Amino acid sequence: MESARSLYKNDVDFAALALQSRDFAKHLTPTGHLNFADPAAVRQLTTTLLQQDFHLKVEIPEDRLCPPPYTHVSDMKYRLNYILWLQDLLDSSAGGLHEGYDRDREVVGLDIGTGCTSIYPLLGCATRPRWNFVATDIDSSNIRTAQHNVALNNLESRIRIVHSDPDGPIFPLEELGCQTLDFTMCNPPFYTSSDELKKSAEQKERDPFSACTGAEVEMVTSGGEVAFVKKMIDESLQLRDRVQWYTSMLGKLSSINVLVEMLIKHENHNFAVTEFEQGSKTKRWAVAWSWGDRRPAMNIARGIPGCPKSHLPFPSEYTFTLPPDTSIDSATATINAELSSLPWFWSWDQARSAGTGFAAENVWSRFARRKMKLAGEEGAARLKVIPAQVALGVRLQIRLVRGQKPDEKEVKVLVRWAQGTDTVLFESFCGMVKRKLESK
């Protein structure tokens, strides 16, 4: 459902929405405004949007979490953006370089603390036809209403709601009957105590967009979101790559810094951070980490403007411009000939001026070539299949782009790091490519 990406870019036309929904029209004033301080109006706006935009039916209890959906943009938007970010995270890392990758392949995710509506699984299933979810919650009331909402949409075969033990593991894969998962997602309680929740409410400038009907179980946890996600990190150290991507929404930017430092301390360097902004008043953030070696695209992994470089993952793309007199034909011929001569897996697409390569080790450096010569392996043939253990996977593309002057064209080279854990190896490969092309 690619059209979901263009939803909510502009403010919703309430008058137009009222023409489509009588239930929503009842909450509009004669002047066409909505009272955002009225929880009933907030709930109706949410249910109407889900019906109109995603063909989803939901019933939201009065005593459960329904944050105000709209300031300038929607609460719905950051929930949707979380799902879309997950899709991009999986597509750009799992898809990577491998032929035959299907973005609509079957995917299984775990939603931790699914809440009364099970909103994330519903949105995930509505936007990807082969996504499936296991959704957990510790609250019996949430379990009942979530199951009801799943049944309303005939999604029982794709969404399984499970009551989890508050004192048990966050990722109870064995109990859930899951050997592996493609991802986990979570929107943990932001506050450390009911007192912090009250103080936060008092300190904020409350405006008309302020109705919030959340139960304390959905908004408060001991130690707040940092403690909760820390427990997720600790459990992931045991599960490792049984889950491809562990992720969580966050309500505080400061939490990103603390959690990234934890990941780095545990020698995890394959992580991603991003920011979800809905209007000028409210922001949310997200962190993801993987113990595997498939690396997401840079715009997906480094999505927080102004974030300290120390708290961002290593760049997975390297771009440079070739000298002005270089033609794209000579550049592609040079690099394809060079990379075809190496004992690694290399596939070149002439039509796209792009190639993909997989190496089990460094086979391009001077040291590596001397080592192969001494071992009598100099001139070894290019691999016909991808090695079982990949130390580096890359995609290289050469493009002709518009230069600084109107009629000027430039040849740009993009090297995309898609698999591996060794930053030095990736930098070494990029350096070799740059030297070969600039010396031509």
Side-chain angles (χ1 to χ4, degrees):
M1 186 179 176
E2 204 59 30
S3 60
R5 294 180 182 272
S6 61
L7 290 172
Y8 314 132
K9 285 188 175 181
N10 301 311
D11 290 337
V12 170
D13 185 335
F14 290 151
L17 194 62
L19 293 175
Q20 300 177 62
S21 170
R22 290 184 179 180
D23 291 333
F24 176 69
K26 295 175 184 177
H27 292 277
L28 284 188
T29 67
T31 58
H33 292 87
L34 190 71
N35 180 9
F36 283 92
D38 178 7
V42 169
R43 283 193 296 273
Q44 186 57 58
L45 176 56
T46 301
T47 57
T48 300
L49 288 173
L50 286 170
Q51 174 66 49
Q52 297 298 320
D53 296 334
F54 301 97
H55 308 294
L56 291 170
K57 300 175 183 179
V58 297
E59 294 178 5
I60 305 172
E62 295 183 3
D63 65 338
R64 282 298 183 262
L65 188 61
C66 179
Y70 279 84
T71 51
H72 295 290
V73 192
S74 65
D75 170 75
M76 186 78 72
K77 179 177 179 179
Y78 79 69
R79 292 172 186 266
L80 176 60
N81 280 349
Y82 190 3
I83 288 291
L84 296 177
W85 183 63
L86 275 170
Q87 292 173 4
D88 291 339
L89 191 66
L90 265 65
D91 289 347
S92 69
S93 56
L97 312 172
H98 295 270
E99 295 294 330
Y101 171 74
D102 180 10
R103 65 190 297 275
D104 292 322
R105 75 197 190 288
E106 187 167 341
V107 165
V108 180
L110 170 64
D111 179 28
I112 302 154
T114 199
C116 65
T117 60
S118 200
I119 184 63
Y120 289 116
L122 290 176
L123 287 173
C125 289
T127 53
R128 283 287 172 100
R130 298 189 65 193
W131 274 35
N132 304 276
F133 284 83
V134 179
T136 63
D137 207 288
I138 62 173
D139 184 78
S140 298
S141 178
N142 281 348
I143 292 290
R144 287 192 300 272
T145 55
Q147 289 174 334
H148 175 67
N149 281 313
V150 169
L152 279 177
N153 294 280
N154 299 313
L155 288 170
E156 297 97 326
S157 64
R158 295 176 60 192
I159 302 174
R160 182 159 54 100
I161 308 295
V162 178
H163 197 294
S164 59
D165 181 356
D167 298 319
I170 296 175
F171 309 122
L173 266 62
E174 307 301 338
E175 291 86 344
L176 298 175
C178 298
Q179 182 60 33
T180 61
L181 291 167
D182 292 282
F183 68 88
T184 70
M185 66 185 308
C186 182
N187 190 359
F190 297 151
Y191 302 102
T192 61
S193 66
S194 56
D195 287 340
E196 184 186 4
L197 170 59
K198 292 175 184 177
K199 288 179 182 178
S200 175
E202 291 168 357
Q203 290 170 357
K204 290 180 180 177
E205 295 181 4
R206 309 300 282 181
D207 58 18
F209 310 105
S210 60
C212 185
T213 59
E216 187 169 301
V217 68
E218 297 174 298
M219 304 179 74
V220 175
T221 188
S222 178
E225 61 187 15
V226 167
F228 193 90
V229 180
K230 181 184 181 300
K231 186 178 178 184
M232 291 172 63
I233 293 173
D234 290 340
E235 289 189 20
S236 79
L237 287 166
Q238 302 302 316
L239 295 173
R240 308 296 288 192
D241 56 5
R242 288 183 65 183
V243 176
Q244 185 185 351
W245 283 103
Y246 302 85
T247 79
S248 180
M249 180 90 79
L250 298 165
K252 302 173 185 177
L253 178 58
S254 60
S255 299
I256 287 283
N257 302 333
V258 175
L259 294 170
V260 166
E261 288 175 1
M262 286 183 188
L263 289 168
I264 293 174
K265 181 180 177 181
H266 289 299
E267 298 185 349
N268 180 291
H269 298 282
N270 192 12
F271 62 91
V273 294
T274 196
E275 176 181 276
F276 306 126
E277 183 174 357
Q278 64 275 16
S280 60
K281 298 190 177 188
T282 308
K283 291 183 180 181
R284 293 288 183 266
W285 296 266
V287 62
W289 64 99
S290 173
W291 296 105
D293 62 357
R294 303 290 182 84
R295 310 195 76 85
M298 197 160 72
N299 64 312
I300 305 303
R302 295 164 62 94
I304 300 182
C307 185
K309 289 184 178 180
S310 60
H311 293 152
L312 292 174
F314 191 87
S316 59
E317 295 175 7
Y318 177 67
T319 306
F320 60 95
T321 303
L322 295 178
D325 58 344
T326 305
S327 72
I328 190 169
D329 290 339
S330 66
T332 55
T334 297
I335 201 61
N336 184 37
E338 178 65 27
L339 298 182
S340 294
S341 69
L342 299 176
W344 71 328
F345 179 89
W346 173 248
S347 174
W348 179 253
D349 184 340
Q350 184 64 38
R352 297 182 180 180
S353 299
T356 56
F358 296 90
E361 60 181 336
N362 185 331
V363 294
W364 53 83
S365 69
R366 292 188 180 92
F367 175 78
R369 292 171 194 256
R370 286 196 299 269
K371 180 180 175 183
M372 286 187 285
K373 185 176 181 180
L374 290 172
E377 298 172 352
E378 188 179 24
R382 189 174 63 187
L383 302 182
K384 294 182 179 180
V385 296
I386 298 172
Q389 297 296 321
V390 174
L392 182 73
V394 293
R395 181 174 179 81
L396 184 147
Q397 186 172 26
I398 300 179
R399 296 179 293 187
L400 192 63
V401 299
R402 182 177 296 175
Q404 295 181 351
K405 297 178 182 178
D407 298 328
E408 187 179 54
K409 296 289 185 179
E410 295 179 337
V411 177
K412 281 190 176 292
V413 181
L414 170 65
V415 185
R416 160 82 158 88
W417 184 21
Q419 190 170 356
T421 59
D422 191 337
T423 59
V424 175
L425 199 62
F426 175 61
E427 287 183 304
S428 168
F429 179 81
C430 292
M432 178 273 293
V433 169
K434 191 170 190 293
R435 287 191 302 273
K436 292 294 180 183
L437 286 172
E438 289 185 340
S439 63
K440 176 63 178 175

